[in-house]
Amino acid sequence: MGDNTNNPYKFTAQQLSELVDPKNPELLEKYGGLKGIAEALKVDVNKGLPQVKADEPNQFAEREAVFGRNVLPETKSKSLLELMWIALHDRIMIILSIAAIVSLSIGLYEDFGPGSEESDEPKVHWIEGVAILISVFIVITAGSVNDYQKEKQFRALNAKKDDRKVKALRGGESVMISVFDVQVGDVLLLEPGDMLCADGIFIQGHNLKCDESAATGESDTIEKAQDKDQFILSGSKVTEGVGSFLVTAVGTNSFHGKTMMSLRTEDEDTPLQVKLNALAEKIAVIGTAAAVLMFCILIIKYIIQICTGKVEDKSFAAVLSEIVKIFISAITVVVVAVPEGLPLAVTLALAFATTRMLKDNNLVRVLNACETMGGATTVCSDKTGTLTQNKMTVVKGVAGRYFGFEGPEQIKKLADDLKNITGKTDPANKEIKDGAELLDVLIEGISINSTAFEGETDDGKIDFIGSKSETALLGMTKAMGIDYRTYRENPCYKVVQIYPFSSAKKSMATLIKVDRAAKGTGSGSFYRMHVKGASEIVLRYSTKALLLPEGGFKFAGKTKAPELPTIVPLSKNLAEDYNNNVIERFANESLRTFSLAYRDFEEEEFEAYLHGEVKEKVMEAIRKEEIEKLKREMAERKALEKGVAIEEDNLAEIMKEITDEQVIEDLPEIPEPTDEEILSHNAALTEIGNRDLTFMSLVGIEDPVRPGVPEAVATCRNAGVVVRMVTGDNINTARAIAAKCGIYTQGGIVMEGPRFRTLTEEQMDEILPRLQVLARSSPTDKQILVGRLKYLGETVAVTGDGTNDGPALKMADVGFSMGIAGTEVAKEASSIILMDDNFSSIVKALLWGRSVNDSVKKFLQFQLTVNITAVVVTFISAIFDGDNGSALTAVQLLWVNLIMDTLAALALATEKPTQDMLLRPPQNKRSPLITHSMWKMIIGEALFQIIVNFALLFAGPYIFSNWFGVLKDNGGVLNKGPQNNLQGEFEDQKTILKTMVFNTFVFLQIFNEINCRRIDNRLNVFTGILKNAYFISIFIFIAAAQVIIVFFGGSAFKTTPLNLGQWAICILLGFFSLPLGMVIRLIPDSTFAACLPKNPVESEPVDFSKPIPDFISPEKRNNTLDSTERHINAQIKWDQTLSALGSKEGLLFNFIHGGRSGRAMSGTISPRVQTTISDDMHTAPKSFAESGRAMTAPAPNAFNAKQAWKMAMIGVERQRKENNEV
């Protein structure tokens, strides 16, 4: 049992936790079963642990030291400063910070260094560095504050009373204790509605059922019993029955605790972050290379000037000063090249989007998840609670066979419709019920023959609590406007005996006594047995059927409806009609069918029946039970004599050899049973409730698809995003729901988890493009799927609401959890929370994500155009200028590079998304950040701006000679001037020219900002511009600020006021950016593509018409049909599927839906895969996990996908062991 030297309890916490993760009956037996574990834990399951004594507060200290407390270690929330420090580690932030420090150092030297006192220039050179530092501070603060606030919102959303009370057995008494005080070895008592706080082993109970959908994805309730599932899972919920269990794991060792702890991992970089980091590195390298080149050229030029005698002052101080000036010019190029506005644009776009997304019911916990969602290529969605409502609902049915109802509207008016059916074929026959009487019996059966009730749920809402089927029926009565309590609490009804739901009989029954006088329907009393259950079972118990005239929704059949309400024998034809045209039809639509029937007895008739036939049957059954008991006792004695272990199999063999005659002598006298004892025996149920029933109604129940889901799935498909369903449901239910959602399409593959996990890597890669539904899947299967998709370069979004979804939510690029129905684990693991639990909100997240990516690209297109132009103009003008000065001064570049860029970031980041964004496919992770159409615009506009600026700078004096006569006559800006009395006028005209260049440069950017509102080749750049108040305001502000700078910039900006003509020239040249943009968009991208880096090859569209791969087709079919024939058969069955869903006629599936055909984690049923084929698989290729080889040759730029794939492998061996696949 391991090293238990210092452990007084025989087992360690790890050994006990292995019992339920995964559920391991063999290990339980190895540990000695419930008895062996209880002995090891030193506890009497009939008394529980001792009561806590006031004078011994730490009496469980030893137990806690071995098994731990039932608490999870608190996660330390990051402070605002910590978040800011993390944000500062971004590569772009590092580059900007270095550039800022260098620029600030040089600026301070220029302003306050040696010789600065003699300069009459304003001391503003330090502003550039400080401004960049402020920009860095704004970026990291904005992003960090946003993350901090969203985390606080998440904590508030998820806040609840953790310290709740549970009922425990301590010292033989039932006491209420805190969940934090639950110990391993405690005996906890269970009742409907309890949330389980620890793992354990079932001790005893009656009809105990647990909803484990939040923990395992299994939407059906799991019955707990010694001969069935004995394992209690933390995180699950008791739906019906009562019982007790022995706690075996608490805190971090429990199933729930392990899941919570596994989610505490670090996030990886998003695709956009990776691309921006790569871009920043390239820009830094290019900028540094340009600066070095410029420095070398200017140094060589200066040396030549010295050698040729053009430099008068050759003193060491003058030479050093000139070298420093050249170095400053070179550094300016680096500063200009770095896109300091880019991170701000990203942060603003994300902050704007997340704020707006909250209004669209998306709480973004992780800021970067927003932009990641924009590139999502696939969504792996849970079914229960995500695509469906996780609330079983009556969706259709028949009353009296021929009166049908379907949908909420018809159910709502069902009561009124039935009351309108009057008359009888034989008014004297009391057995015949008209519409109103049938309604009364129907509601009576639903309300009284039920253990469900209406109460307060964990989230404080009033809802029905109990088994999902019973709550669905009570929900139907509520929808009809009838309160079930008016029947259940009515004194005219006395409950005589309840027969709880039995999985063996698949039915539940309740015997009541009805007082006609109290009810107002006559005198005397009568007995009525109400029975409900699986339709085929209740139909078998029935001998008569109530029939109503045809009405409501018509479920056509082969029998004819009566003209008036009547009661008839349940003939073979009528039974077949029910089976073939109602039950099977409902089952084909994956509805769970429930039928209701009853049997009436007059009081005297029932008393005679009870003390006659029923009593005889019960006495006979008791006698047989006693004989079996004696046989077992004899078999146990013989087993001991033979030295054989007392086990069920051994005892069964020995009991076969024992005859009734051998034990009849020891049979005790059976006492006369009371009426209560007679009625409580199963034999009484068989005699009273399992025969001669009157069949009255049948309903179809399902977990309905959420409103808007089919439309959302269709929108995702149009956007190029593949939606896959991953569920623990059986393959038929999963396929039907997927078809209703629009996920399952012709040629798609439906596969089961146990089969999927046995595929090799190559086989997985072959079927993944066509895999649309993964049924009977465990959490490990979902992790494998997500990990493999990420490994193949997909950007994966995962939706889920249960604890079982946690690991996959964390592993995915974007995890969506449900804000209302989601568990704490799911919310903690997710990056976005859907506040309205609506799958449709994912489409809004997708839209905003794409909007963020587009906003970043728009700004990038604008920023790079500015930077390329500024760098080239600065570089070339500094080389050719007579004074080695740039056409744009440092302060002018501050305005262009920082103020304009920051405002442009705000303008372009606040563009609202348009539906057009969902009509294009998502970008591959390996796709470049800058597309060919963007490069085309950047290069085209940059070339135009460079040409315009240089033409104005160098040819301006000659073109506008009336303004620049002196400048023209003295060689333009290339010379130092005439060095005479015209020098002052020369300098003034040079200042005017450089002001025009600066002004033109700015207006080129202002109009190009409008151009950059589109990053595709569409010509209309004004679409929706008036709806963006930010853009209009910023456009006007920049233009106004530029006017102020030109007129009042003075010595700080090195500008001088321009006349009207000069203003017109500047604005007109800037305006030409717009028509040029239209011309550039008309040029095919392919013309530029030859000169640009090649985009990664896009994957071919999935061909759903191809035959299904042989390795996932049943082996028995390989002997008779080739893959093409199988595909043809699949297509024929697909057409039948569409027909059944569309016209609601014909066969959809060949399987009648009852309980699950197998559990996602049981491994007891052969796994299957379908495209519409449903045969069992008999062979399985060697598992990739079994092969033991590591993943090789990952996809380029897989963004930590290899680690994700390895994470997915962690539970594979455990899963295979659980499913006996080793």
Side-chain angles (χ1 to χ4, degrees):
M1 293 294 177
D3 184 12
N4 296 332
T5 308
N6 300 318
N7 183 1
Y9 296 105
K10 188 177 178 181
F11 298 115
T12 64
Q14 176 63 29
Q15 288 169 337
L16 289 178
S17 71
E18 290 172 357
L19 285 168
V20 298
D21 188 17
K23 295 178 182 178
N24 197 331
E26 293 79 13
L27 187 61
L28 177 60
E29 186 177 342
K30 180 181 176 182
Y31 287 177
L34 174 66
K35 184 179 179 182
I37 292 176
E39 289 177 355
L41 295 178
K42 301 179 181 179
V43 61
D44 182 348
V45 294
N46 296 315
K47 294 182 179 180
L49 293 177
Q51 289 268 24
V52 175
K53 299 176 182 177
D55 57 341
E56 290 186 49
N58 297 321
Q59 68 184 84
F60 296 129
E62 185 181 59
R63 195 174 291 270
E64 288 180 355
V66 176
F67 302 111
R69 290 195 66 211
N70 196 28
V71 293
L72 296 178
E74 290 187 9
T75 52
K76 183 178 179 296
S77 298
K78 291 184 176 67
S79 67
L80 183 60
L81 289 177
E82 286 176 314
L83 290 171
M84 292 174 69
W85 176 249
I86 293 169
L88 193 57
H89 284 71
D90 184 271
R91 290 182 188 176
I92 295 181
M93 293 295 100
I94 293 172
I95 292 170
L96 280 176
S97 300
I98 293 171
I101 292 169
V102 171
S103 177
L104 181 60
S105 302
I106 298 298
L108 290 172
Y109 176 83
E110 282 189 286
D111 291 336
F112 307 105
S116 60
E117 299 84 0
E118 301 173 3
S119 174
D120 59 349
E121 289 188 6
K123 300 183 185 303
V124 294
H125 296 91
W126 58 271
I127 293 178
E128 175 83 13
V130 171
I132 297 176
L133 286 175
I134 291 173
S135 174
V136 170
F137 179 78
I138 290 172
V139 169
I140 64 173
T141 303
S144 302
V145 168
N146 196 296
D147 281 343
Y148 186 72
Q149 287 178 337
K150 291 296 182 291
E151 186 64 19
K152 282 182 66 178
Q153 283 179 306
F154 165 69
R155 296 297 174 193
L157 171 77
N158 210 33
K160 56 184 179 182
K161 293 180 181 178
D162 292 327
D163 189 10
R164 52 192 171 88
K165 300 290 184 180
V166 293
K167 192 178 291 186
L169 196 63
R170 291 271 178 96
E173 297 180 9
S174 175
V175 295
M176 300 297 292
I177 63 172
S178 165
V179 289
F180 298 151
D181 295 331
V182 172
Q183 306 288 332
V184 169
D186 256 323
V187 175
L188 297 187
L189 307 179
L190 302 175
E191 55 189 36
D194 285 351
M195 286 294 297
L196 300 175
C197 62
D199 298 337
I201 306 298
F202 176 83
I203 298 175
Q204 62 182 357
H206 175 70
N207 195 36
L208 182 65
K209 292 183 180 179
C210 293
D211 178 4
E212 297 180 355
S213 61
T216 66
E218 174 67 59
S219 63
D220 278 346
T221 53
I222 309 298
E223 186 174 357
K224 305 295 178 179
Q226 292 286 359
D227 57 344
K228 293 178 182 175
D229 187 344
Q230 301 180 66
F231 300 101
I232 305 295
L233 282 184
S234 54
S236 57
K237 182 178 182 179
V238 179
T239 57
E240 57 183 302
V242 293
S244 61
F245 76 98
L246 175 66
V247 175
T248 58
V250 296
T252 56
N253 297 309
S254 66
F255 183 90
H256 178 79
K258 284 181 180 178
T259 306
M260 287 292 292
M261 295 302 294
S262 70
L263 304 178
R264 298 181 181 181
T265 59
E266 293 298 321
D267 297 321
E268 58 187 69
D269 282 350
T270 67
L272 182 61
Q273 285 176 315
V274 173
K275 292 176 183 179
L276 288 175
N277 288 337
L279 178 66
E281 290 179 358
K282 290 177 183 177
I283 290 175
V285 170
I286 294 171
T288 304
V292 170
L293 180 62
M294 179 179 174
F295 181 78
C296 293
I297 291 174
L298 291 179
I299 288 292
I300 293 170
K301 177 185 174 183
Y302 182 59
I303 293 172
I304 293 172
Q305 288 175 337
I306 292 175
C307 296
T308 56
K310 292 182 179 181
V311 176
E312 295 178 0
D313 188 354
K314 298 181 181 179
S315 66
F316 176 78
V319 171
L320 181 61
S321 177
E322 189 65 24
I323 291 174
V324 169
K325 182 180 177 182
I326 291 171
F327 180 71
I328 290 170
S329 297
I331 290 297
T332 302
V333 171
V334 177
V335 175
V336 169
V338 175
E340 57 263 43
L342 183 57
L344 185 60
V346 175
T347 303
L348 287 173
L350 289 172
F352 179 75
T354 52
T355 304
R356 294 299 182 91
M357 285 173 71
L358 192 56
K359 295 179 181 178
D360 286 336
N361 296 308
N362 284 273
L363 172 61
V364 182
R365 292 187 58 226
V366 181
L367 195 63
N368 292 327
C370 179
E371 55 91 357
T372 307
M373 187 58 198
T377 57
T378 184
V379 177
C380 297
S381 177
D382 184 35
K383 177 188 77 70
T384 307
T386 307
L387 295 170
T388 62
Q389 299 175 20
N390 196 19
K391 184 178 181 180
M392 297 301 284
T393 306
V394 175
V395 293
K396 61 179 65 177
V398 292
R401 172 56 188 94
Y402 300 104
F403 193 94
F405 50 91
E406 181 176 24
E409 291 303 317
Q410 291 189 6
I411 291 174
K412 186 177 180 180
K413 60 179 184 176
L414 179 61
D416 293 332
D417 290 342
L418 289 177
K419 289 175 183 177
N420 291 331
I421 302 175
T422 57
K424 298 179 182 180
T425 53
D426 182 3
N429 189 343
K430 291 184 179 180
E431 288 189 355
I432 300 176
K433 314 290 183 187
D434 61 19
E437 291 171 325
L438 186 144
L439 173 66
D440 183 56
V441 179
L442 178 64
I443 302 301
E444 184 180 284
I446 292 174
S447 303
I448 300 176
N449 185 26
S450 173
T451 59
F453 60 94
E454 192 172 33
E456 187 174 329
T457 60
D458 296 328
D459 55 4
K461 294 183 178 179
I462 301 299
D463 204 351
F464 291 111
I465 299 172
S467 77
K468 294 185 178 182
S469 301
E470 290 190 335
T471 57
L473 289 170
L474 290 182
M476 184 180 82
T477 65
K478 189 173 184 177
M480 293 162 60
I482 301 172
D483 188 345
Y484 77 99
R485 285 175 287 240
T486 59
Y487 283 80
R488 191 176 293 184
E489 298 170 4
N490 195 322
C492 74
Y493 300 112
K494 179 185 177 183
V495 176
V496 179
Q497 184 67 42
I498 297 176
Y499 301 94
F501 183 86
S502 163
S503 57
K505 291 181 176 292
K506 295 184 180 179
S507 61
M508 175 184 178
T510 300
L511 179 65
I512 62 173
K513 185 177 182 181
V514 184
D515 186 339
R516 287 194 178 99
K519 192 174 182 180
T521 57
S523 59
S525 300
F526 69 95
Y527 288 85
R528 175 173 287 160
M529 174 68 88
H530 281 289
V531 179
K532 69 179 179 189
S535 297
E536 62 274 17
I537 300 297
V538 176
L539 199 63
R540 192 191 311 154
Y541 294 162
S542 303
T543 55
K544 292 180 283 188
L546 274 175
L547 303 181
L548 294 179
E550 195 170 64
F553 189 88
K554 296 180 181 178
F555 293 95
K558 293 183 178 180
T559 55
K560 187 178 180 181
E563 295 182 2
L564 292 172
T566 187
I567 189 167
V568 298
L570 187 61
S571 63
K572 183 180 179 181
N573 286 341
L574 185 56
E576 287 179 352
D577 182 41
Y578 260 116
N579 264 317
N580 299 336
N581 298 305
V582 183
I583 297 175
E584 191 168 336
R585 175 177 176 171
F586 283 14
N588 287 341
E589 294 174 18
S590 205
L591 301 181
R592 183 176 302 174
T593 59
F594 257 69
S595 292
L596 297 102
Y598 68 96
R599 184 181 181 186
D600 285 345
F601 304 88
E602 288 302 321
E603 189 170 9
E604 298 79 9
E605 175 192 3
F606 181 79
E607 294 294 337
Y609 184 46
L610 178 65
H611 297 110
E613 294 179 47
V614 176
K615 182 179 178 181
E616 289 177 12
K617 296 286 185 182
V618 170
M619 293 289 286
E620 184 181 345
I622 293 174
R623 185 174 180 276
K624 287 182 179 179
E625 289 167 3
E626 290 296 327
I627 290 174
E628 286 299 310
K629 184 179 178 181
L630 291 171
K631 282 185 177 181
R632 184 178 179 87
E633 291 173 355
M634 183 177 287
E636 288 177 354
R637 289 195 298 271
K638 288 191 175 186
L640 291 173
E641 291 171 4
K642 294 180 180 180
V644 178
I646 300 177
E647 295 178 352
E648 288 300 322
D649 292 342
N650 295 336
L651 292 177
E653 288 297 321
I654 297 173
M655 286 174 69
K656 289 178 182 178
E657 302 170 0
I658 302 173
T659 62
D660 291 355
E661 287 73 18
Q662 290 177 269
V663 297
I664 202 77
E665 294 178 359
D666 299 325
L667 184 68
E669 183 179 350
I670 299 172
E672 189 78 9
T674 64
D675 287 357
E676 288 184 2
E677 289 172 337
I678 294 172
L679 286 172
S680 63
H681 201 281
N682 275 333
L685 171 63
T686 303
E687 187 65 24
I688 302 172
N690 294 167
R691 53 179 290 188
D692 297 334
L693 301 181
T694 301
F695 196 91
M696 62 173 167
S697 183
L698 182 150
V699 295
I701 301 173
E702 72 171 356
D703 185 4
V705 172
R706 285 184 177 276
V709 166
E711 294 80 4
V713 171
T715 303
C716 287
R717 182 175 293 111
N718 291 335
V721 179
V722 178
V723 181
R724 294 178 171 90
M725 178 196 287
V726 186
T727 177
D729 261 323
N730 68 62
I731 198 165
N732 294 322
T733 302
R735 182 180 61 176
I737 297 296
K740 290 178 181 178
C741 294
I743 294 173
Y744 177 44
T745 59
Q746 184 174 4
I749 292 175
V750 181
M751 180 177 278
E752 290 189 333
R755 178 72 182 96
F756 175 74
R757 75 179 75 107
T758 64
L759 299 180
T760 63
E761 298 165 20
E762 294 77 15
Q763 290 171 338
M764 270 193 192
D765 296 347
E766 187 174 350
I767 63 103
L768 276 179
R770 293 172 66 178
L771 181 66
Q772 295 176 334
V773 180
L774 189 63
R776 286 187 62 232
S777 63
S778 69
T780 301
D781 297 325
K782 184 180 275 191
Q783 283 184 273
I784 293 171
L785 176 63
V786 173
R788 193 64 196 168
L789 287 169
K790 286 188 69 174
Y791 187 85
L792 295 175
E794 300 272 0
T795 301
V796 186
V798 170
T799 71
D801 65 338
T803 301
N804 66 308
D805 297 316
L809 284 169
K810 193 69 177 176
M811 181 186 290
D813 294 293
V814 184
F816 287 90
S817 66
M818 303 295 136
I820 300 172
T823 62
E824 181 186 355
V825 174
K827 293 174 187 174
E828 186 72 37
S830 65
S831 43
I832 298 178
I833 299 174
L834 301 178
M835 304 293 285
D836 59 352
D837 283 16
N838 197 333
F839 181 86
S840 303
S841 296
I842 292 175
V843 175
K844 296 174 184 175
L846 178 64
L847 186 61
W848 276 107
R850 291 192 175 186
S851 177
V852 167
N853 282 319
D854 281 8
S855 294
V856 172
K857 288 184 175 183
K858 288 172 186 177
F859 179 76
L860 192 58
Q861 181 174 291
F862 173 78
Q863 173 88 71
L864 290 183
T865 305
V866 175
N867 286 12
I868 290 172
T869 306
V871 167
V872 172
V873 169
T874 302
F875 186 94
I876 301 297
S877 62
I879 291 173
F880 287 98
D881 188 82
D883 295 323
N884 293 338
S886 168
L888 300 172
T889 68
V891 180
Q892 288 172 356
L893 286 173
L894 171 66
W895 164 245
V896 171
N897 236 33
L898 182 65
I899 309 300
M900 270 190 63
D901 288 356
T902 303
L903 294 171
L906 181 60
L908 294 172
T910 53
E911 292 278 359
K912 293 182 180 178
T914 63
Q915 292 300 318
D916 291 350
M917 294 177 180
L918 297 178
L919 298 178
R920 64 173 193 246
Q923 277 204 328
N924 190 287
K925 277 182 178 179
R926 298 186 292 277
S927 297
L929 189 59
I930 307 173
T931 63
H932 285 168
S933 58
M934 289 172 64
W935 272 122
K936 182 175 67 176
M937 184 60 63
I938 291 168
I939 294 171
E941 285 287 347
L943 281 174
F944 170 71
Q945 292 182 17
I946 290 168
I947 292 169
V948 166
N949 280 285
F950 282 152
L952 192 57
L953 181 65
F954 297 124
Y958 304 97
I959 298 172
F960 308 109
S961 56
N962 56 324
W963 293 332
F964 307 109
V966 175
L967 194 60
K968 170 191 171 185
D969 296 337
N970 289 277
V973 295
L974 297 177
N975 291 322
K976 291 189 175 183
Q979 305 297 321
N980 53 34
N981 60 340
L982 294 176
Q983 184 66 34
E985 191 174 350
F986 177 89
E987 293 296 337
D988 290 342
Q989 289 184 6
K990 190 175 182 179
T991 302
I992 292 172
L993 180 62
K994 286 196 173 186
T995 300
M996 285 185 68
V997 171
F998 169 56
N999 205 29
T1000 302
F1001 184 90
V1002 169
F1003 276 100
L1004 282 166
Q1005 312 317 322
I1006 290 175
F1007 286 105
N1008 189 43
E1009 192 174 350
I1010 299 175
N1011 251 335
C1012 292
R1013 292 187 69 247
R1014 295 211 77 98
I1015 54 175
D1016 52 23
N1017 287 324
R1018 297 189 183 183
L1019 298 179
N1020 187 0
V1021 295
F1022 297 99
T1023 304
I1025 193 170
L1026 296 177
K1027 295 179 180 178
N1028 190 346
Y1030 289 103
F1031 191 94
I1032 299 296
S1033 302
I1034 290 169
F1035 184 89
I1036 295 171
F1037 174 78
I1038 293 175
Q1042 181 63 20
V1043 172
I1044 293 171
I1045 287 170
V1046 169
F1047 277 102
F1048 305 105
S1051 58
F1053 281 88
K1054 294 291 190 295
T1055 60
T1056 187
L1058 301 177
N1059 60 39
L1060 192 61
Q1062 291 164 346
W1063 271 105
I1065 293 296
C1066 295
I1067 295 173
L1068 183 64
L1069 288 173
F1071 177 79
F1072 275 127
S1073 287
L1074 287 176
L1076 177 68
M1078 295 179 64
V1079 173
I1080 292 173
R1081 285 186 170 90
L1082 293 173
I1083 301 173
D1085 290 351
S1086 55
T1087 305
F1088 277 79
C1091 310
L1092 296 172
K1094 291 185 178 179
N1095 286 339
V1097 179
E1098 294 292 335
S1099 56
E1100 292 293 327
V1102 181
D1103 185 0
F1104 285 88
S1105 64
K1106 284 184 178 180
I1108 303 303
D1110 290 334
F1111 63 82
I1112 62 171
S1113 300
E1115 184 180 273
K1116 60 185 179 183
R1117 292 208 170 203
N1118 291 346
N1119 300 328
T1120 56
L1121 298 175
D1122 62 22
S1123 59
T1124 303
E1125 289 172 304
R1126 284 195 302 275
H1127 178 70
I1128 293 171
N1129 286 353
Q1131 185 163 334
I1132 292 171
K1133 289 190 177 184
W1134 169 254
D1135 293 337
Q1136 292 174 346
T1137 300
L1138 292 181
S1139 174
L1141 285 176
S1143 65
K1144 304 192 182 300
E1145 294 177 357
L1147 294 179
L1148 173 57
F1149 312 124
N1150 294 322
F1151 298 89
I1152 294 179
H1153 176 80
R1156 300 245 169 164
S1157 59
R1159 305 299 174 195
M1161 302 175 70
S1162 70
T1164 57
I1165 293 182
S1166 299
R1168 293 173 297 189
V1169 58
Q1170 295 185 358
T1171 52
T1172 46
I1173 299 172
S1174 56
D1175 300 87
D1176 287 350
M1177 300 296 295
H1178 296 289
T1179 59
K1182 189 178 181 183
S1183 166
F1184 55 79
E1186 196 174 345
S1187 67
R1189 56 195 178 91
M1191 299 298 299
T1192 56
N1197 301 325
F1199 307 106
N1200 222 14
K1202 187 171 183 178
Q1203 290 90 324
W1205 178 237
K1206 286 182 178 179
M1207 280 178 62
M1209 297 298 99
I1210 292 174
V1212 170
E1213 288 297 334
R1214 182 180 66 193
Q1215 190 72 56
R1216 289 171 53 244
K1217 185 188 298 182
E1218 176 193 345
N1219 288 277
N1220 299 317
E1221 293 169 6
V1222 178

